[in-house]
């Protein structure tokens, strides 16, 4: 009983996670969007990545100003340099992971 419940829960979570990512691609594949809308949509990845970055670098507490996580902020510097120089997402991610790992090991 417990094993089938866990399996069904994992399957349900997988479907709920997968569907919102696949359905938009399937629906928009056959639609031609106007150029202004495509230009607007091109900024969305930058906005999402910026929000994720700020979420991981800043600490939010109710009633207080956000504070900066120092190690994470320092690790952004070499990561940003690699991103600007190479424009390669894989290299950028690797440098970010290695940098934060080294900083956490040292400090």
């Amino acid at each position: 009983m417990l094993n089938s419940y866990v399996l069904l829960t994992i399957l349900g979570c997988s479907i709920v996670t997968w569907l919102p990512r696949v359905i938009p691609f399937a629906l928009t594949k056959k639609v031609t969007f106007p150029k202004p809308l495509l230009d607007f949509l091109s900024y969305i990845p930058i906005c999402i990545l910026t929000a994720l970055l700020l979420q991981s670098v800043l600490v939010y507490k109710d009633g207080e100003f956000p504070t900066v996580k120092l190690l994470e902020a320092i690790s952004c510097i070499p990561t940003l340099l690699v991103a600007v120089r190479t424009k390669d997402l894989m290299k950028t991610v690797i440098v970010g992971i290695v940098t934060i790992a080294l900083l956490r090991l040292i400090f």
Side-chain angles (χ1 to χ4, degrees), residues 75-89:
S75 71
C76 288
I77 296 167
T79 306
L80 180 64
L81 293 174
V82 168
V84 169
R85 185 167 175 92
T86 65
K87 294 178 179 50
D88 184 352
L89 183 60

Side-chain angles (χ1 to χ4, degrees), residues 71-72 75-76 78-80 82 89-105:
L71 291 181
E72 284 80 353
S75 71
C76 288
T79 306
L80 180 64
V82 168
L89 183 60
M90 184 59 74
K91 291 177 186 171
T92 304
V93 170
I94 290 171
V95 167
I97 291 171
V98 169
T99 304
I100 194 66
L102 289 174
L103 286 172
R104 287 181 181 168
L105 184 67

Side-chain angles (χ1 to χ4, degrees), residues 33-50:
F33 293 105
K35 176 121 174 67
L37 178 63
L38 292 175
D39 290 340
F40 170 74
L41 292 175
S42 71
Y43 291 105
I44 289 178
I46 295 169
C47 296
I48 292 171
L49 289 175
T50 303

Side-chain angles (χ1 to χ4, degrees), residues 11 14-17 38 54 60 66 69 80-81 88 91 100:
L11 182 64
S14 302
I15 291 170
V16 168
T17 302
L38 292 175
L54 289 177
Y60 301 99
K69 296 180 186 175
L80 180 64
L81 293 174
D88 184 352
K91 291 177 186 171
I100 194 66

